[in-house]
Amino acid sequence: MANSPHGGILKDLVARDEPISAQLREEAATLRDIVLTERQLCDLELIINGGFSPLEGFMNESDYLSVVDTLRLADGTLFSMPVTLDVSLADIERLGIAPGVRLALRDPRDDQALAIITVEDAYTYDAVKESIQVFGADDPAHPSVAYLRNRVKEYYVGGKVQAIQAPTHFDYVALRYTPSELRSHFKKLAWRKVVAFQTRNPMHRAHRELTVRAARQRQANVLIHPVVGLTKPGDVDHYTRVRVYEAIMAKYPNGMGHLALLPLAMRMAGPREAVWHAIIRKNFGATHFIVGRDHAGPGKNSQGKDFYGPYDAQELVEKYKDELQIEMVPFQMMTYLPSTDEYQPIDEIPAGTQTLDISGTELRKRLKTGAPIPDWFSYDAVVKTLRESYPPRHKQGFVLFLTGLHNSGKDVIAKALQVSLNEQGGRSVSLLLGETLRPDLTPQLGYTSAERHENLQRISFVASELARAGAAVIAAPIAPEERSRTLVRDTVLQSGGAGGNFFLIHVATPLEHCESTDRRGVYAQARRGEIKGFVGVDTEYETPKKADLVVDVTTQSVPEIVHSIVLLLETNALL
C-alpha cells in the first residue's frame, strides 16, 4: 500500500484541471506570459503533478518567509525548501503584475502554455538571509548561493496555478512517472513497502549492494529515483546517468527494483534538502527513504571545509519523522573487501581488515583522464557507458576564457592562441571575440551592467555547446564583473559534458598601458564623455578572484603568454 501524500491529499493539478484544460489553453492565448527558466520549469512540473504536495503554486510572501524561518508553510505544514517564481522589476512593469492578475507560464523549450498563475503578491526578499537560513551560509562556493546571486531576479511572485498540461519530454518517456502513475504501478504490483533511493550520480556496485540490503532487511522493494533536472555544475549529464541506471537495474534480483526519473531542480541544501526529498518521495508513494552521508551536500565551502556535517541530514529527517511519516533508512557506507570479493557496511568490518574504495571525485578524475576503473568497483556495462560519454582527455573540448580591459592584449593573445592550437591539430578551434560576436549575437544590446551580463550569458551558451562537441573554444570578452564570469564558468561546467573544462585567464595589463597604446582613441572618447559605461573609465573592472592564469603584456611577450597557456592545457592533459 503506497504511503499517503504529504498533507493528506495528492495535489495532482493536471488531473484536477483536465476538464477545463481546453478553456484554460484558450485563455492563455489572450494573457501576458512568463517564459520559465530551466529551474522554474522543473518546479512547475512537480507542482502540477503533485510531487510538491501540498503546494498548489509558487509560494506567496507569507509561505516563503515561514519556510525560510521555520521550515513550515504559513499554515504550519512541514515544508523545508522555498519554491519561488522570480521576476525582475522590468517584468513586473511590462506584465502589469499585481494581485489578481492572471499570467500564462510557458515552457522555454517549445513555448507551450503549461499553466496559468493567479498572482497573490509580488515581493522582494533578503538574498543574504535566504542563503544563511536555507543553505547555511552566504558563501558563493555553494552553487545555489551563486545561483541566487547571479541568476535569480529581484522579486518573487506568489500565487496558485491551474494546470493546462504537463511539460512534454522526448527522452526516456517510459521512465517518467508522475506520483499518481507511480502509485498505480505500486498498487498493480502489490508493493506494500517501497524503499526509495535518491541519486544524482552514476550508480556502481556499492550502491546496488546498499539498496538490496536495505530492501531485504525490510522485506521491501526498491525504487531507484534519480534526479534528471538541474543538479550540481560538473555532474555527469542525465543522459549518461540514465543509461547507467538502466544497465545496473539488470543486476537486481528479478522483480525487486524499479527505475523512475524525477525532474527535480536540486538546491544542494543538505539537511533541508533531505527533508524535502523525503516529502517528495512520500508523495510518490514510497514508505522508506534512504538518507545518505552528507545527503545533497555541495562539497567544500570557501574555507575548504564541508558545508554540512556528515550526519546533519539524517538528524534533521529523524527530528521530523513523526510529521514526515516516511521511515528513514540511514545510508550505510559500503566498502569493498578484496579478501572475500564482497561489499559490507563499514561499521561491521573488524579493525585491520583490508578495504578498498574509490570516491566520486576520484571516479570523475579517472573518467576524465582515461585511467582504469577496476571490476570490483563497477560493472563492465556501467564503465562502458561512462567511457562512451567521457572520451580520452586529449579529445575532450575546453574553454579558454580571456578577460581584461579593452586593449589589454587579450584579443591579440586569443588570435595567436588560435593559430597555435590549430597547429597542434586534433580539434576544431573556435574563436569568440567580443568585437566580432556582438554585431551577430547581441546586436540589440548596449553596455549597461545588465546588458553585458546578458551578452555573456549568450557567449557562455555558445561556448559550452562547442566544447561539448569536442572543440577548443577561445573566448575573449572584457567581462568586467565577477558575477558574469562565474555564470560563464558554471554554464560550461553544467552544460559542457565531457567538454566542461574551463580555464579563466586574466589579462592583467595595467590601465595606464591599455590607454597609452590605444591607437583608436576609444579611451580618449570615454574620457570626454562621448562613450558612457566604458570599463576602466566610468565602469569598474572587478579583478578576478580565482584566475587559473594571470598574464600581462607589459612583462611578457605574446609568444611567452601563448606558451604559458599551452603549458596550462598540457598540465591538465588536454594536449
Side-chain angles (χ1 to χ4, degrees):
M1 180 178 176
N3 206 346
S4 60
H6 192 56
I9 300 173
L10 185 68
K11 302 291 186 174
D12 186 342
L13 307 188
V14 174
R16 182 197 70 184
D17 299 331
E18 196 278 333
I20 59 170
S21 61
Q23 177 185 330
L24 292 171
R25 184 173 285 106
E26 290 178 6
E27 182 187 358
T30 70
L31 298 175
R32 294 178 178 177
D33 51 45
I34 295 174
V35 177
L36 301 171
T37 65
E38 189 175 358
R39 176 191 277 192
Q40 292 166 351
L41 178 64
C42 291
D43 287 349
L44 180 65
E45 181 167 5
L46 287 167
I47 289 170
I48 64 177
N49 72 17
F52 283 172
S53 295
L55 298 190
E56 294 184 46
F58 290 97
M59 290 181 181
N60 59 27
E61 186 172 20
S62 60
D63 279 333
Y64 165 76
L65 291 174
S66 182
V67 167
V68 168
D69 288 335
T70 70
L71 287 79
R72 296 182 183 280
L73 299 172
D75 67 5
T77 304
L78 179 68
F79 205 93
S80 56
M81 293 296 298
V83 178
T84 53
L85 178 65
D86 61 292
V87 298
S88 66
L89 178 59
D91 291 331
I92 290 176
E93 294 172 346
R94 176 176 57 85
L95 301 173
I97 295 176
V101 169
R102 287 167 67 78
L103 299 166
L105 303 179
R106 294 191 177 273
D107 191 322
R109 302 165 304 165
D110 58 13
D111 208 41
Q112 287 293 314
L114 303 178
I116 295 175
I117 183 171
T118 301
V119 176
E120 293 178 20
D121 54 12
Y123 54 97
T124 58
Y125 60 95
D126 186 336
V128 173
K129 179 181 178 182
E130 182 176 331
S131 296
I132 294 171
Q133 294 284 89
V134 177
F135 306 115
D138 183 31
D139 185 342
H142 193 298
S144 284
V145 174
Y147 187 96
L148 188 60
R149 288 188 182 189
N150 300 320
R151 297 200 183 189
V152 177
K153 297 172 183 176
E154 60 267 34
Y155 286 84
Y156 290 152
V157 171
K160 293 184 177 181
V161 302
Q162 291 174 289
I164 298 173
Q165 65 177 64
T168 302
H169 293 287
F170 299 98
D171 59 332
Y172 307 114
V173 176
L175 298 176
R176 293 181 180 271
Y177 290 77
T178 68
S180 295
E181 291 168 343
L182 203 51
R183 286 169 168 275
S184 295
H185 182 76
F186 296 157
K187 183 177 181 180
K188 181 178 181 180
L189 297 180
W191 285 13
R192 297 183 59 82
K193 295 181 182 178
V194 180
V195 179
F197 180 65
Q198 144 83 29
T199 183
R200 54 172 242 271
N201 294 311
M203 290 177 65
H204 302 284
R205 282 188 62 180
H207 303 102
R208 186 264 185 198
E209 297 301 323
L210 163 71
T211 50
V212 168
R213 173 181 285 256
R216 284 175 172 164
Q217 287 177 348
R218 290 156 184 83
Q219 297 183 356
N221 291 90
V222 177
L223 170 64
I224 304 301
H225 208 203
V227 170
V228 293
L230 288 180
T231 59
K232 183 182 175 183
D235 281 352
V236 176
D237 68 274
H238 83 269
Y239 301 104
T240 300
R241 289 190 288 111
V242 175
R243 291 195 292 272
V244 165
Y245 304 140
E246 289 177 317
I248 208 166
M249 291 308 294
K251 305 298 181 181
Y252 280 83
N254 189 35
M256 175 180 279
H258 185 71
L259 173 63
L261 309 183
L262 180 68
L264 176 71
M266 288 185 67
R267 272 57 162 184
M268 309 304 297
R272 276 189 181 242
E273 183 132 353
V275 173
W276 194 37
H277 288 175
I279 290 170
I280 293 166
R281 273 35 184 245
K282 180 184 177 184
N283 287 329
F284 275 86
T287 57
H288 298 70
F289 179 54
I290 296 174
V291 178
R293 186 180 183 277
D294 192 25
H295 187 100
K300 304 295 184 183
N301 63 18
S302 295
Q303 286 71 49
K305 298 179 181 179
D306 289 335
F307 272 95
Y308 312 114
Y311 304 108
D312 288 356
Q314 293 179 4
E315 290 170 3
L316 195 65
V317 174
E318 178 68 19
K319 176 181 176 180
Y320 292 112
K321 65 178 181 180
D322 291 339
E323 292 176 81
L324 286 170
Q325 290 295 300
I326 184 170
E327 184 179 325
M328 179 182 70
V329 180
F331 188 104
Q332 298 168 297
M333 189 70 179
M334 305 292 284
T335 190
Y336 178 69
L337 280 65
S339 60
T340 56
D341 187 29
E342 65 178 346
Y343 278 84
Q344 290 288 344
I346 197 165
D347 57 355
E348 296 180 14
I349 298 172
T353 303
Q354 182 190 11
T355 62
L356 296 174
D357 292 291
I358 293 178
S359 68
T361 302
E362 174 64 18
L363 172 65
R364 286 189 287 273
K365 179 181 177 183
R366 291 187 182 214
L367 287 171
K368 283 206 164 190
T369 60
I373 298 172
D375 292 342
W376 60 261
F377 177 76
S378 195
Y379 299 101
D380 289 343
V382 170
V383 174
K384 180 177 181 292
T385 298
L386 291 172
R387 292 286 190 208
E388 288 171 352
S389 295
Y390 282 84
R393 188 77 166 154
H394 67 278
K395 292 185 178 179
Q396 294 171 16
F398 57 82
V399 176
L400 297 168
F401 192 82
L402 282 65
T403 173
L405 295 169
H406 173 73
N407 200 42
S408 61
K410 61 181 177 59
D411 288 9
V412 174
I413 295 166
K415 292 173 183 176
L417 192 56
Q418 181 187 32
V419 172
S420 179
L421 293 177
N422 275 327
E423 180 188 11
Q424 299 255 356
R427 294 182 182 86
S428 63
V429 183
S430 296
L431 182 62
L432 308 179
L433 294 180
E435 63 183 28
T436 56
L437 275 180
R438 263 189 178 269
D440 296 322
L441 194 62
T442 55
Q444 79 283 11
L445 294 180
Y447 291 90
T448 65
S449 174
E451 288 170 320
R452 288 182 184 277
H453 190 70
E454 184 175 346
N455 179 51
L456 286 168
Q457 278 184 308
R458 299 182 185 186
I459 289 176
S460 66
F461 171 77
V462 173
S464 65
E465 289 297 304
L466 289 168
R468 184 167 60 179
V473 183
I474 307 164
I478 293 174
E481 297 183 45
E482 185 73 14
R483 70 178 184 118
S484 300
R485 297 188 292 260
T486 300
L487 168 70
V488 176
R489 179 190 293 271
D490 288 348
T491 301
V492 172
L493 293 178
Q494 179 81 38
S495 305
N501 302 293
F502 181 88
F503 303 93
L504 180 66
I505 299 163
H506 179 204
V507 183
T509 306
L511 173 62
E512 296 76 15
H513 180 84
C514 297
E515 191 165 357
S516 65
T517 58
D518 176 23
R519 294 177 59 250
R520 292 166 54 190
V522 181
Y523 280 96
Q525 293 178 58
R527 296 288 182 194
R528 293 194 299 267
E530 297 170 11
I531 302 175
K532 301 296 183 184
F534 194 83
V535 177
V537 177
D538 54 0
T539 296
E540 179 189 3
Y541 179 87
E542 299 173 6
T543 302
K545 297 177 181 177
K546 292 184 178 180
D548 296 288
L549 187 67
V550 179
V551 299
D552 180 348
V553 299
T554 65
T555 59
Q556 300 164 275
S557 68
V558 171
E560 287 172 338
I561 291 171
V562 169
H563 184 61
S564 68
I565 296 171
V566 170
L567 288 177
L568 175 66
L569 295 171
E570 289 179 344
T571 301
N572 284 274
L574 287 163
L575 293 179

